Amino acid sequence: MSPEAGTKRFGRARKSISVSGEELVKVAPLLEGTRAVSCTPAVPGLDAREWLASSGKTLAKLRVEHGAVLLRGFSPLDATGLGELATAFAGELRDYDNRSTPRTRVEDKVFTSTEYPSDQTIPLHNEMSYTASWPDTLFLACMVPATEGGETPLADSARIHDRMPDATRERFERDGVMYVRNFGLGLDLSWQEAFQTEDRDEVSAFCEKNGIQAEWLGGERLRTRHVVQATVESRASGRKVWFNQAHLFHVSSLPASVERELRESFSEDELPRNALYGDGSPLDAADLANVRAAYAAEEIAFPWEAGDVVIVDNEQFAHGRRPYSGPRSVMVAMA
């Protein structure tokens, strides 16, 4: 599906959703045909932190019921403000451990969004679903929207699960997903960056604690294997959701020419990163095609505006990034 075809604008003919006792903010569907909602203050420039403090559990209820909530028209938040909003909403924030993408710490536990080149698409995924421990809620804040493109598309994880062909879903649920990573090849994150330490013993201890098989191969080379879930039951909705990054980690997510070069240079378990079925067998191309088709069918997107904040239930909704031109700055906090 092309970015043009997938982008659905919002803001026209929105039907208000009643929120008991709440008059400061108008709540409306974010996009037609999706559960996600947008919140717009009756008085422009209202501080989202003040609204959160004065509105009881309204925002938490919206997150549980709708999965993703866009705050638009509130006063813009800097990194400190985003951290304060996220902390007030969810309590202690999570650091970015067991990393899979390059990010920069802006302040405390607020980070830049993934720093991949602007011409690349980041496929839809649930944050850190390649691990056995993931953030519950994401807080994404747009500082500077791209000149063109750069949307953060969303997709309902339960609808993705239900759309999956039975045979594909059953295979993944039965076997899980094995994520294989080879560090020290100079083609991906180093193990030092992924685990945020220079101490090999700390890495080994982290892996043992988290059920990750770690194998030091000499020099700076480290190979890890981790078998985790393909689906989970959403704690908020109780529905089964598709929850893994097999399609993103698999070498076929790269441009065809890059995949070909890597396969010519490395065996299946030596690739910088790859995904297999949990029993160690290669993923079937038809299953991967089914997964990607399900994501594409459920993808929705809206154009960022400066000051926007999106609160995402990480189990209920997947997110990604579209290519863009011009400057773009989006920060993220995880709880």
Side-chain angles (χ1 to χ4, degrees):
M1 178 172 61
S2 69
E4 292 78 7
T7 301
K8 303 175 184 177
R9 303 284 175 169
F10 65 97
R12 299 177 182 176
R14 294 185 296 177
K15 179 181 178 182
S16 295
I17 298 173
S18 175
V19 179
S20 178
E22 183 55 68
E23 298 179 353
L24 289 174
V25 171
K26 178 182 179 181
V27 182
L30 174 60
L31 297 165
E32 184 179 352
T34 178
R35 294 188 301 122
V37 294
S38 65
C39 293
T40 307
V43 179
L46 176 68
D47 192 303
R49 293 164 293 184
E50 294 179 1
W51 176 56
L52 177 63
S54 65
S55 62
K57 297 182 179 179
T58 297
L59 190 54
K61 181 180 178 183
L62 290 173
R63 170 200 164 275
V64 168
E65 292 183 352
H66 298 282
V69 183
L70 168 66
L71 306 183
R72 172 165 288 179
F74 292 81
S75 60
L77 298 175
D78 58 11
T80 299
L82 179 63
E84 290 173 349
L85 176 70
T87 300
F89 180 93
E92 184 177 357
L93 300 185
R94 174 174 179 145
D95 213 337
Y96 185 34
D97 55 15
N98 194 3
R99 299 185 177 194
S100 69
T101 60
R103 291 180 184 169
T104 300
R105 189 184 303 273
V106 180
E107 179 179 304
D108 193 19
K109 294 178 181 176
V110 176
F111 301 85
T112 59
S113 58
T114 296
E115 297 171 358
Y116 280 160
S118 61
D119 63 340
Q120 295 183 12
T121 295
I122 299 177
L124 287 160
H125 62 283
N126 304 85
E127 190 68 29
M128 297 185 72
S129 56
Y130 58 89
T131 72
S133 175
W134 52 84
D136 183 65
T137 309
L138 309 179
F139 302 81
L140 297 157
C142 180
M143 304 293 105
V144 180
T147 304
E148 183 177 357
E151 300 92 345
T152 296
L154 302 171
D156 188 318
S157 299
R159 292 178 61 158
I160 294 168
H161 173 275
D162 294 347
R163 183 179 286 275
M164 209 68 63
D166 290 344
T168 298
R169 182 173 56 247
E170 290 167 4
R171 176 71 191 271
F172 274 100
E173 288 188 323
R174 183 183 72 240
D175 295 336
V177 181
M178 176 186 289
Y179 299 95
V180 181
R181 303 180 69 179
N182 283 280
F183 301 95
L185 301 174
L187 299 173
D188 203 343
L189 300 185
S190 66
W191 60 262
Q192 292 91 339
E193 183 175 0
F195 295 101
Q196 293 292 287
T197 181
E198 300 283 337
D199 189 326
R200 297 184 184 215
D201 290 339
E202 286 187 18
V203 173
S204 296
F206 178 91
C207 290
E208 182 176 1
K209 179 181 178 181
N210 289 277
I212 303 171
Q213 179 185 346
E215 181 182 4
W216 294 99
L217 301 173
E220 293 298 312
R221 293 188 61 202
L222 166 66
R223 179 177 299 153
T224 62
R225 297 183 180 90
H226 197 192
V227 179
V228 292
Q229 71 292 317
T231 65
V232 297
E233 185 176 290
S234 165
R235 286 167 284 185
S237 70
R239 295 182 64 185
K240 270 286 192 75
V241 298
W242 193 254
F243 198 79
N244 65 79
Q245 293 189 23
H247 67 298
L248 194 157
F249 264 71
H250 193 263
V251 66
S252 63
S253 69
L254 299 169
S257 60
V258 177
E259 178 187 359
R260 184 171 57 252
E261 290 178 8
L262 288 174
R263 287 194 177 279
E264 290 173 353
S265 302
F266 302 103
S267 63
E268 194 81 10
D269 65 347
E270 292 177 333
L271 291 161
R273 70 169 71 186
N274 200 16
L276 311 169
Y277 294 114
D279 62 4
S281 58
L283 296 182
D284 184 80
D287 280 344
L288 282 168
N290 289 334
V291 170
R292 290 173 175 138
Y295 275 108
E298 296 298 336
E299 180 177 298
I300 60 173
F302 61 92
W304 279 115
E305 293 183 8
D308 283 352
V309 175
V310 176
I311 300 170
V312 180
D313 182 314
N314 187 41
E315 291 177 353
Q316 293 198 66
F317 270 85
H319 67 285
R321 192 205 70 187
R322 289 181 174 172
Y324 65 92
S325 60
R328 179 185 187 272
S329 175
V330 174
M331 297 188 301
V332 62
M334 300 178 284

